Amino acid sequence: MRKEKEHMKIVIVGHVDHGKSTLIGRLFYDTDSIQEEKIAEVREACKTLGKEMEFAYLMDHLQEEREQGVTIDTTQTFFKTDKRHYVIIDAPGHKEFIKNMITGASQAEAAILIVDADEGVQEQTKRHAYILGMLGLKQVIAVLNKMDLREFDKERFEEVKAELLKFLSSISIVPSHVIPISAKLGENVAKKSGKMKWYSGPTILSALDSFSVKESSPDKPLRFPVQGVFKVENKRILMGRVESGTVSEGDEITFLPSGKTAKVKSVEEFMEERHSASAGESTGITIDQPYFIERGEVAFSGRKPAVAQEFSASVFWMSPRAFALGERLAFRCATQEAGCEVKKIERKINSSTLETIGENASELKENEVGEIVLRTDKPVVLENFSEIPELGRFVLVRGENVSAGGTVSGLERLDSKRQ
Ligand code: GDP
Protein backbone atom coordinates (compact mmCIF):
# COMPACT_ATOMS: atom_id res chain seq x y z
CA MET A 1 0.00 0.00 0.00
CA ARG A 2 1.40 3.36 -0.87
CA LYS A 3 1.63 6.07 1.65
CA GLU A 4 -0.44 9.10 0.80
CA LYS A 5 1.94 11.97 0.77
CA GLU A 6 -0.49 14.84 0.84
CA HIS A 7 -1.64 14.15 4.40
CA MET A 8 0.17 15.30 7.47
CA LYS A 9 -0.52 13.62 10.78
CA ILE A 10 -0.59 15.85 13.80
CA VAL A 11 -1.27 15.42 17.50
CA ILE A 12 -2.65 18.01 19.84
CA VAL A 13 -1.39 17.57 23.36
CA GLY A 14 -1.66 19.43 26.64
CA HIS A 15 -3.10 19.43 30.11
CA VAL A 16 -6.74 18.52 30.61
CA ASP A 17 -9.10 21.47 30.04
CA HIS A 18 -6.48 23.62 28.38
CA GLY A 19 -8.54 23.58 25.19
CA LYS A 20 -7.62 20.65 22.94
CA SER A 21 -11.19 19.81 21.90
CA THR A 22 -12.06 23.44 21.44
CA LEU A 23 -9.03 24.00 19.24
CA ILE A 24 -9.82 20.97 17.11
CA GLY A 25 -13.41 22.13 16.71
CA ARG A 26 -12.19 25.56 15.72
CA LEU A 27 -9.69 24.19 13.20
CA PHE A 28 -12.42 22.10 11.57
CA TYR A 29 -14.92 24.92 11.61
CA ASP A 30 -12.62 27.61 10.24
CA THR A 31 -11.45 25.39 7.40
CA ASP A 32 -15.03 24.41 6.46
CA SER A 33 -14.23 20.80 7.21
CA ILE A 34 -17.36 20.09 9.16
CA GLN A 35 -20.85 19.55 7.82
CA GLU A 36 -23.24 22.37 8.53
CA GLU A 37 -25.90 19.95 9.75
CA LYS A 38 -23.56 18.54 12.41
CA ILE A 39 -22.97 22.01 13.74
CA ALA A 40 -26.74 22.64 13.72
CA GLU A 41 -27.37 19.40 15.62
CA VAL A 42 -24.99 20.35 18.40
CA ARG A 43 -26.21 23.95 18.49
CA GLU A 44 -29.74 22.61 18.91
CA ALA A 45 -28.67 20.17 21.65
CA CYS A 46 -26.86 22.94 23.53
CA LYS A 47 -29.90 25.18 23.28
CA THR A 48 -32.13 22.46 24.75
CA LEU A 49 -29.72 22.19 27.67
CA GLY A 50 -29.67 25.95 28.02
CA LYS A 51 -25.97 26.05 27.23
CA GLU A 52 -23.88 28.14 24.94
CA MET A 53 -22.73 26.20 21.88
CA GLU A 54 -19.18 25.01 22.40
CA PHE A 55 -16.75 23.56 19.92
CA ALA A 56 -15.68 21.10 22.57
CA TYR A 57 -19.20 19.56 22.49
CA LEU A 58 -19.08 19.39 18.74
CA MET A 59 -15.92 17.34 18.87
CA ASP A 60 -17.25 15.11 21.64
CA HIS A 61 -20.37 14.52 19.58
CA LEU A 62 -18.39 13.53 16.51
CA GLN A 63 -16.13 11.38 18.62
CA GLU A 64 -19.12 9.51 20.08
CA GLU A 65 -20.58 8.96 16.65
CA ARG A 66 -17.29 7.64 15.43
CA GLU A 67 -16.97 5.27 18.36
CA GLN A 68 -20.47 3.98 17.77
CA GLY A 69 -19.67 3.57 14.13
CA VAL A 70 -22.33 6.06 13.05
CA THR A 71 -19.99 8.29 11.12
CA ILE A 72 -17.44 6.86 8.83
CA ASP A 73 -17.27 9.99 6.81
CA THR A 74 -13.65 10.66 6.16
CA THR A 75 -14.24 14.34 5.52
CA GLN A 76 -14.63 14.65 9.26
CA THR A 77 -11.32 13.18 10.20
CA PHE A 78 -9.18 15.77 8.53
CA PHE A 79 -9.13 19.45 7.82
CA LYS A 80 -7.69 21.14 4.79
CA THR A 81 -5.57 24.13 4.00
CA ASP A 82 -4.49 25.24 0.54
CA LYS A 83 -1.32 23.33 1.07
CA ARG A 84 -2.44 19.93 2.37
CA HIS A 85 -4.77 17.81 4.48
CA TYR A 86 -4.18 17.43 8.19
CA VAL A 87 -5.22 14.32 10.04
CA ILE A 88 -5.56 14.68 13.78
CA ILE A 89 -4.48 11.34 15.05
CA ASP A 90 -5.21 11.72 18.69
CA ALA A 91 -8.59 12.55 19.93
CA PRO A 92 -8.73 14.91 22.85
CA GLY A 93 -9.31 13.36 26.22
CA HIS A 94 -8.18 10.15 24.67
CA LYS A 95 -7.17 7.94 27.57
CA GLU A 96 -4.89 5.97 25.35
CA PHE A 97 -2.90 9.00 24.30
CA ILE A 98 0.34 8.19 26.08
CA LYS A 99 0.13 4.59 24.99
CA ASN A 100 -0.49 5.45 21.36
CA MET A 101 2.29 7.97 21.28
CA ILE A 102 4.79 5.72 22.89
CA THR A 103 4.02 2.54 21.06
CA GLY A 104 4.22 4.37 17.78
CA ALA A 105 0.60 3.58 16.97
CA SER A 106 0.30 7.28 16.41
CA GLN A 107 3.20 8.42 14.38
CA ALA A 108 2.66 12.11 14.25
CA GLU A 109 4.73 14.30 12.00
CA ALA A 110 4.00 17.46 13.96
CA ALA A 111 2.51 18.42 17.29
CA ILE A 112 0.63 21.31 18.79
CA LEU A 113 1.30 21.73 22.49
CA ILE A 114 -1.50 23.74 24.03
CA VAL A 115 -1.21 25.64 27.31
CA ASP A 116 -3.91 27.61 29.06
CA ALA A 117 -2.44 31.12 29.30
CA ASP A 118 -4.54 31.75 32.37
CA GLU A 119 -3.44 28.66 34.27
CA GLY A 120 0.06 28.37 32.91
CA VAL A 121 2.20 25.26 32.53
CA GLN A 122 0.79 22.23 34.35
CA GLU A 123 1.82 18.67 35.05
CA GLN A 124 0.45 17.10 31.87
CA THR A 125 1.86 19.95 29.78
CA LYS A 126 5.27 18.77 30.89
CA ARG A 127 4.59 15.07 30.68
CA HIS A 128 3.19 15.27 27.16
CA ALA A 129 6.05 17.52 26.08
CA TYR A 130 8.49 15.04 27.55
CA ILE A 131 6.99 12.28 25.43
CA LEU A 132 7.21 14.43 22.29
CA GLY A 133 10.89 14.93 23.08
CA MET A 134 11.49 11.26 23.80
CA LEU A 135 9.94 10.38 20.47
CA GLY A 136 12.17 12.83 18.70
CA LEU A 137 9.32 14.96 17.36
CA LYS A 138 10.95 18.06 16.00
CA GLN A 139 8.06 19.94 14.43
CA VAL A 140 6.30 21.44 17.40
CA ILE A 141 4.12 24.52 17.75
CA ALA A 142 3.32 25.81 21.22
CA VAL A 143 0.06 27.72 21.59
CA LEU A 144 -0.97 29.75 24.61
CA ASN A 145 -4.73 29.48 24.66
CA LYS A 146 -7.55 31.41 26.34
CA MET A 147 -5.81 34.74 25.81
CA ASP A 148 -9.31 36.25 26.01
CA LEU A 149 -9.38 35.45 29.73
CA ARG A 150 -6.37 37.73 30.16
CA GLU A 151 -7.58 40.55 27.94
CA PHE A 152 -5.12 39.50 25.26
CA ASP A 153 -2.35 40.80 27.47
CA LYS A 154 1.15 40.69 26.03
CA GLU A 155 2.82 40.62 29.46
CA ARG A 156 0.92 37.51 30.49
CA PHE A 157 1.81 35.86 27.20
CA GLU A 158 5.51 36.61 27.67
CA GLU A 159 5.42 35.32 31.21
CA VAL A 160 3.92 31.93 30.35
CA LYS A 161 6.01 31.71 27.19
CA ALA A 162 9.22 32.14 29.21
CA GLU A 163 8.16 29.47 31.69
CA LEU A 164 7.25 27.07 28.91
CA LEU A 165 10.41 27.64 26.86
CA LYS A 166 12.54 27.08 29.92
CA PHE A 167 11.00 23.67 30.46
CA LEU A 168 11.08 22.75 26.77
CA SER A 169 14.73 23.65 26.41
CA SER A 170 15.58 21.26 29.25
CA ILE A 171 14.17 18.43 27.13
CA SER A 172 15.67 19.76 23.88
CA ILE A 173 12.42 20.86 22.29
CA VAL A 174 12.56 24.12 20.42
CA PRO A 175 9.06 25.01 19.23
CA SER A 176 9.05 26.63 15.83
CA HIS A 177 6.55 29.18 17.11
CA VAL A 178 4.81 30.15 20.31
CA ILE A 179 1.41 31.55 19.34
CA PRO A 180 -1.05 33.46 21.52
CA ILE A 181 -4.56 32.27 20.65
CA SER A 182 -8.14 32.02 21.71
CA ALA A 183 -9.48 28.72 20.41
CA LYS A 184 -12.93 29.70 21.54
CA LEU A 185 -13.00 32.97 19.61
CA GLY A 186 -10.80 31.85 16.74
CA GLU A 187 -8.01 34.34 17.33
CA ASN A 188 -4.77 33.39 15.55
CA VAL A 189 -6.08 29.93 14.68
CA ALA A 190 -6.95 30.34 11.00
CA LYS A 191 -7.24 34.12 10.99
CA LYS A 192 -4.83 36.67 12.32
CA SER A 193 -6.11 38.25 15.47
CA GLY A 194 -7.00 41.92 15.44
CA LYS A 195 -6.93 41.83 19.24
CA MET A 196 -3.27 40.94 19.55
CA LYS A 197 -1.60 43.36 17.18
CA TRP A 198 1.56 43.10 19.29
CA TYR A 199 2.02 39.57 17.94
CA SER A 200 3.66 39.48 14.54
CA GLY A 201 4.11 35.72 14.03
CA PRO A 202 1.98 33.29 12.03
CA THR A 203 -1.41 31.80 12.81
CA ILE A 204 -1.60 28.11 13.72
CA LEU A 205 -2.56 27.16 10.17
CA SER A 206 0.29 29.00 8.53
CA ALA A 207 2.74 27.64 11.09
CA LEU A 208 1.50 24.11 10.31
CA ASP A 209 1.80 24.75 6.59
CA SER A 210 5.45 25.68 7.04
CA PHE A 211 6.24 22.17 8.27
CA SER A 212 7.26 19.35 6.00
CA VAL A 213 5.60 15.95 5.84
CA LYS A 214 7.68 13.21 7.33
CA GLU A 215 10.48 12.44 4.98
CA SER A 216 10.17 8.85 4.20
CA SER A 217 13.68 7.56 4.36
CA PRO A 218 14.37 5.89 1.02
CA ASP A 219 17.97 7.06 1.14
CA LYS A 220 18.73 5.33 4.40
CA PRO A 221 19.99 1.75 4.41
CA LEU A 222 17.36 -0.92 3.85
CA ARG A 223 15.53 -2.30 6.88
CA PHE A 224 12.79 -4.79 6.06
CA PRO A 225 11.41 -6.67 9.08
CA VAL A 226 9.65 -9.82 7.92
CA GLN A 227 6.07 -9.94 9.10
CA GLY A 228 5.06 -13.26 7.67
CA VAL A 229 5.85 -15.77 4.98
CA PHE A 230 3.19 -16.93 2.53
CA LYS A 231 3.27 -19.64 0.00
CA VAL A 232 1.47 -18.63 -3.16
CA GLU A 233 1.58 -21.13 -6.00
CA ASN A 234 5.23 -22.12 -5.97
CA LYS A 235 6.53 -18.91 -4.51
CA ARG A 236 7.44 -18.17 -0.93
CA ILE A 237 6.64 -14.52 -0.42
CA LEU A 238 8.19 -12.65 2.50
CA MET A 239 5.71 -9.99 3.55
CA GLY A 240 6.51 -6.90 5.53
CA ARG A 241 6.81 -3.16 5.61
CA VAL A 242 9.91 -1.43 4.38
CA GLU A 243 10.88 0.60 7.43
CA SER A 244 13.76 2.41 5.83
CA GLY A 245 15.57 2.45 2.53
CA THR A 246 14.51 0.77 -0.68
CA VAL A 247 14.43 -2.83 -1.78
CA SER A 248 14.76 -3.55 -5.50
CA GLU A 249 14.90 -6.59 -7.73
CA GLY A 250 18.44 -7.87 -7.98
CA ASP A 251 19.58 -6.37 -4.66
CA GLU A 252 21.70 -8.47 -2.41
CA ILE A 253 20.19 -8.54 1.08
CA THR A 254 21.10 -10.23 4.34
CA PHE A 255 18.71 -11.50 6.98
CA LEU A 256 19.47 -10.99 10.64
CA PRO A 257 19.94 -12.49 13.16
CA SER A 258 20.46 -15.58 10.95
CA GLY A 259 23.03 -13.93 8.68
CA LYS A 260 21.70 -15.57 5.49
CA THR A 261 22.37 -13.65 2.30
CA ALA A 262 20.26 -13.81 -0.88
CA LYS A 263 19.33 -11.88 -3.98
CA VAL A 264 15.91 -10.31 -4.36
CA LYS A 265 14.13 -12.14 -7.15
CA SER A 266 10.94 -10.13 -7.23
CA VAL A 267 9.11 -7.38 -5.40
CA GLU A 268 5.36 -7.79 -5.46
CA GLU A 269 2.16 -6.38 -4.23
CA PHE A 270 -1.10 -8.28 -4.34
CA MET A 271 0.26 -10.60 -6.99
CA GLU A 272 1.32 -7.65 -9.05
CA GLU A 273 4.95 -7.39 -10.12
CA ARG A 274 6.77 -4.30 -9.00
CA HIS A 275 10.42 -3.63 -9.21
CA SER A 276 11.07 -1.94 -5.92
CA ALA A 277 9.48 -0.73 -2.71
CA SER A 278 10.55 2.09 -0.41
CA ALA A 279 10.25 3.19 3.20
CA GLY A 280 6.67 3.26 4.38
CA GLU A 281 5.40 0.73 1.86
CA SER A 282 4.11 -2.73 2.67
CA THR A 283 5.20 -5.26 0.16
CA GLY A 284 6.22 -8.84 -0.49
CA ILE A 285 9.53 -10.07 -1.84
CA THR A 286 10.83 -13.37 -3.10
CA ILE A 287 14.47 -14.40 -2.93
CA ASP A 288 16.69 -16.65 -5.02
CA GLN A 289 17.51 -19.04 -2.16
CA PRO A 290 15.34 -21.73 -0.54
CA TYR A 291 16.06 -20.47 2.98
CA PHE A 292 13.71 -20.90 5.83
CA ILE A 293 13.02 -17.32 6.88
CA GLU A 294 10.66 -16.57 9.74
CA ARG A 295 8.66 -13.65 11.02
CA GLY A 296 10.94 -11.41 13.05
CA GLU A 297 14.02 -11.60 10.86
CA VAL A 298 15.12 -8.27 9.45
CA ALA A 299 16.53 -7.99 5.94
CA PHE A 300 19.10 -5.27 5.46
CA SER A 301 21.51 -3.88 2.93
CA GLY A 302 24.13 -1.20 3.39
CA ARG A 303 25.27 -0.51 6.93
CA LYS A 304 24.67 -3.45 9.18
CA PRO A 305 22.27 -2.95 12.10
CA ALA A 306 23.27 -4.06 15.58
CA VAL A 307 22.40 -7.57 16.68
CA ALA A 308 22.30 -7.49 20.44
CA GLN A 309 21.00 -9.27 23.47
CA GLU A 310 21.89 -6.68 26.06
CA PHE A 311 21.56 -2.95 25.52
CA SER A 312 20.70 0.40 27.12
CA ALA A 313 17.35 2.04 26.68
CA SER A 314 15.02 4.64 28.11
CA VAL A 315 11.58 3.37 29.02
CA PHE A 316 8.43 5.19 29.99
CA TRP A 317 6.47 3.03 32.39
CA MET A 318 2.78 3.66 31.76
CA SER A 319 0.98 0.87 33.55
CA PRO A 320 -0.70 1.76 36.85
CA ARG A 321 0.86 -1.41 38.27
CA ALA A 322 4.49 -0.78 39.11
CA PHE A 323 7.26 -2.87 37.67
CA ALA A 324 9.66 -4.67 39.99
CA LEU A 325 13.13 -5.75 38.97
CA GLY A 326 13.19 -9.46 38.28
CA GLU A 327 9.76 -9.61 36.61
CA ARG A 328 9.64 -11.26 33.21
CA LEU A 329 8.40 -9.17 30.30
CA ALA A 330 8.03 -9.55 26.55
CA PHE A 331 9.98 -7.27 24.25
CA ARG A 332 8.50 -6.24 20.89
CA CYS A 333 10.28 -4.20 18.25
CA ALA A 334 8.92 -4.02 14.70
CA THR A 335 7.97 -7.67 14.05
CA GLN A 336 10.44 -9.10 16.56
CA GLU A 337 9.32 -10.58 19.82
CA ALA A 338 11.40 -12.03 22.65
CA GLY A 339 11.17 -12.67 26.36
CA CYS A 340 13.26 -10.22 28.33
CA GLU A 341 14.52 -9.14 31.68
CA VAL A 342 15.48 -5.72 32.99
CA LYS A 343 18.98 -6.18 34.34
CA LYS A 344 19.30 -2.75 35.90
CA ILE A 345 17.38 0.46 36.41
CA GLU A 346 20.38 2.78 36.42
CA ARG A 347 18.42 5.95 36.96
CA LYS A 348 14.82 6.94 37.07
CA ILE A 349 13.24 10.29 36.55
CA ASN A 350 9.87 11.88 37.05
CA SER A 351 8.58 12.63 33.54
CA SER A 352 6.89 15.82 34.64
CA THR A 353 9.40 17.47 36.98
CA LEU A 354 12.42 15.80 35.32
CA GLU A 355 13.89 15.16 38.76
CA THR A 356 16.07 12.13 39.25
CA ILE A 357 14.14 10.09 41.75
CA GLY A 358 16.41 7.15 42.15
CA GLU A 359 19.58 5.43 41.08
CA ASN A 360 20.04 1.70 40.86
CA ALA A 361 16.35 1.46 41.55
CA SER A 362 14.39 -1.73 42.01
CA GLU A 363 11.04 -0.60 40.63
CA LEU A 364 9.41 1.72 38.13
CA LYS A 365 6.04 3.31 38.75
CA GLU A 366 3.48 4.80 36.41
CA ASN A 367 4.77 7.84 34.52
CA GLU A 368 8.34 7.23 35.59
CA VAL A 369 11.09 7.09 33.04
CA GLY A 370 13.88 4.62 33.60
CA GLU A 371 17.29 4.43 32.05
CA ILE A 372 17.69 0.70 31.99
CA VAL A 373 19.78 -2.18 30.76
CA LEU A 374 17.65 -4.76 29.05
CA ARG A 375 18.51 -8.36 28.27
CA THR A 376 16.48 -10.31 25.72
CA ASP A 377 16.32 -14.12 25.63
CA LYS A 378 17.60 -14.17 22.07
CA PRO A 379 19.53 -11.75 19.86
CA VAL A 380 17.45 -8.93 18.38
CA VAL A 381 18.13 -6.55 15.51
CA LEU A 382 18.32 -2.94 16.67
CA GLU A 383 19.23 0.61 15.74
CA ASN A 384 19.70 3.69 17.85
CA PHE A 385 16.36 5.47 17.93
CA SER A 386 18.01 8.66 16.72
CA GLU A 387 19.22 6.94 13.56
CA ILE A 388 16.46 4.59 12.39
CA PRO A 389 13.54 5.07 14.80
CA GLU A 390 11.53 2.17 13.40
CA LEU A 391 14.09 -0.27 14.79
CA GLY A 392 14.98 1.83 17.80
CA ARG A 393 11.54 1.88 19.35
CA PHE A 394 10.05 -0.98 21.33
CA VAL A 395 7.36 -1.86 23.82
CA LEU A 396 7.46 -4.02 26.92
CA VAL A 397 4.48 -6.26 27.48
CA ARG A 398 3.43 -7.77 30.79
CA GLY A 399 0.87 -10.51 30.31
CA GLU A 400 -1.41 -9.04 27.67
CA ASN A 401 -0.71 -5.42 28.52
CA VAL A 402 1.62 -3.04 26.82
CA SER A 403 3.13 -1.57 29.97
CA ALA A 404 6.00 0.54 28.73
CA GLY A 405 7.42 2.07 25.62
CA GLY A 406 11.06 2.67 25.09
CA THR A 407 13.81 3.85 22.83
CA VAL A 408 17.21 2.32 22.25
CA SER A 409 20.32 4.42 22.59
CA GLY A 410 24.03 4.02 22.98
CA LEU A 411 24.42 1.14 20.53
CA GLU A 412 28.01 1.15 19.49
CA ARG A 413 28.62 2.23 15.95
CA LEU A 414 30.89 -0.47 14.65
CA ASP A 415 30.52 0.52 11.02
CA SER A 416 33.97 -0.48 9.95
CA LYS A 417 33.73 -3.85 11.63
CA ARG A 418 30.19 -4.46 10.50
CA GLN A 419 30.69 -3.83 6.82
P1 GDP B 1 -9.52 19.79 26.65
O1 GDP B 1 -9.77 19.01 27.91
O2 GDP B 1 -8.08 20.18 26.55
O3 GDP B 1 -10.01 19.15 25.41
O4 GDP B 1 -10.27 21.20 26.82
P2 GDP B 1 -11.65 21.70 26.19
O5 GDP B 1 -11.50 22.04 24.77
O6 GDP B 1 -12.72 20.74 26.57
O7 GDP B 1 -11.83 23.07 26.96
C1 GDP B 1 -12.00 23.14 28.35
C2 GDP B 1 -12.80 24.38 28.70
O8 GDP B 1 -12.07 25.53 28.33
C3 GDP B 1 -14.12 24.43 27.93
O9 GDP B 1 -15.11 24.92 28.81
C4 GDP B 1 -13.86 25.44 26.84
O10 GDP B 1 -15.01 26.16 26.44
C5 GDP B 1 -12.88 26.37 27.49
N1 GDP B 1 -12.02 27.02 26.48
C6 GDP B 1 -11.32 26.43 25.50
N2 GDP B 1 -10.66 27.35 24.76
C7 GDP B 1 -10.98 28.55 25.28
C8 GDP B 1 -10.62 29.90 24.96
O11 GDP B 1 -9.89 30.19 24.01
N3 GDP B 1 -11.12 30.87 25.77
C9 GDP B 1 -11.94 30.60 26.82
N4 GDP B 1 -12.38 31.64 27.54
N5 GDP B 1 -12.31 29.36 27.14
C10 GDP B 1 -11.82 28.34 26.39
Side-chain angles (χ1 to χ4, degrees), residues 15 17-22 54 56 145-146 148-149 182-184:
H15 199 76
D17 279 347
H18 281 198
K20 295 180 292 296
S21 301
T22 308
E54 281 215 21
N145 188 30
K146 309 196 191 179
D148 53 297
L149 294 180
S182 167
K184 190 172 179 171

Side-chain angles (χ1 to χ4, degrees), residues 234-303:
N234 285 326
K235 293 195 267 191
R236 283 173 66 79
I237 302 182
L238 312 181
M239 300 294 301
R241 203 178 101 107
V242 182
E243 296 294 0
S244 85
T246 300
V247 60
S248 306
E249 253 171 46
D251 284 356
E252 183 159 291
I253 57 173
T254 303
F255 293 87
L256 291 175
S258 68
K260 294 169 184 149
T261 295
K263 258 206 173 106
V264 178
K265 224 162 100 181
S266 66
V267 178
E268 19 204 303
E269 189 178 350
F270 300 120
M271 307 301 290
E272 220 174 89
E273 289 274 334
R274 303 184 50 180
H275 301 290
S276 71
S278 292
E281 295 179 327
S282 293
T283 189
I285 63 169
T286 62
I287 52 174
D288 70 344
Q289 302 288 334
Y291 297 143
F292 176 70
I293 302 285
E294 292 181 278
R295 174 186 168 90
E297 292 230 28
V298 180
F300 83 94
S301 64
R303 179 176 64 75

